[in-house]
Amino acid sequence: MRLYLLFFMGLFLLNTACHRPPGKLKKERPESVALHFMHAFLDGDFEKAEQLSTPESKEILVFFEQTLNAVTESERKAMKAEAAANKKRIKTAECELLSSQEALCSFCCDQDGKPLSGSKMQLLRQEDNSWKVVLELPQAPDF
């Protein structure tokens, strides 16, 4: 009887230790964060995208959200249709560690199964040991 009790107690502890609450993202891997961020962004779920971003990146996401809210309904539908088509193409993310705190990720796949061009994203490990997306506005050219 004691052996059964220890066995079931062990199973319970193992199950509890491995269980994540529903909707909780696994943030230990940059690939997971990059993929969840991109899907949230393309869905227009800026709140979720912000949770996966650095504080500095949130300002850029607010700009995108305000821009989306400022366009006409027909433009918004066209943008959402294009985003949905792009989301279907983004199946995986591959990340190269640049350092212990930075990774450069690309998304896959185009029609030929190759990484999508122009799909690089830099990620930064924050103090809370989770990867966060770093968004930066492009630099204006010098004239």
Side-chain angles (χ1 to χ4, degrees):
M1 179 70 168
R2 199 175 222 170
L3 187 59
Y4 288 122
L5 183 59
L6 285 173
F7 176 74
F8 285 115
M9 184 76 116
L11 282 178
F12 173 77
L13 290 174
L14 183 63
N15 184 41
T16 304
C18 295
H19 179 69
R20 285 189 315 217
K24 184 127 177 153
L25 294 177
K26 184 177 182 180
K27 295 184 181 179
E28 294 84 24
R29 298 189 51 214
E31 293 86 358
S32 175
V33 174
L35 196 58
H36 281 95
F37 172 85
M38 189 57 74
H39 284 180
F41 181 80
L42 292 172
D43 284 340
D45 187 350
F46 294 103
E47 186 176 317
K48 185 175 181 181
E50 284 180 14
Q51 293 171 359
L52 299 169
S53 303
T54 61
E56 300 80 21
S57 300
K58 292 177 184 178
E59 295 175 21
I60 297 170
L61 289 169
V62 167
F63 171 76
F64 281 119
E65 186 174 19
Q66 290 172 344
T67 301
L68 185 62
N69 291 334
V71 299
T72 65
E73 186 62 32
S74 62
E75 290 173 322
R76 187 177 299 122
K77 283 182 181 179
M79 290 169 75
K80 285 187 176 189
E82 184 178 346
N86 286 331
K87 183 180 173 186
K88 286 180 185 178
R89 293 177 31 208
I90 297 174
K91 296 176 176 62
T92 61
E94 294 178 9
C95 298
E96 172 190 353
L97 291 178
L98 303 176
S99 71
S100 63
Q101 295 189 343
E102 292 183 320
L104 187 63
C105 301
S106 60
F107 299 97
C108 191
C109 295
D110 64 10
Q111 300 89 307
D112 301 325
K114 296 178 183 171
L116 299 171
S117 62
S119 68
K120 299 264 187 220
M121 174 187 302
Q122 186 172 357
L123 299 171
L124 173 71
R125 183 176 293 278
Q126 294 290 343
E127 292 174 7
D128 62 1
N129 289 330
S130 62
W131 289 94
K132 299 286 185 171
V133 173
V134 177
L135 296 177
E136 296 175 345
L137 291 174
Q139 296 291 336
D142 293 330
F143 292 105

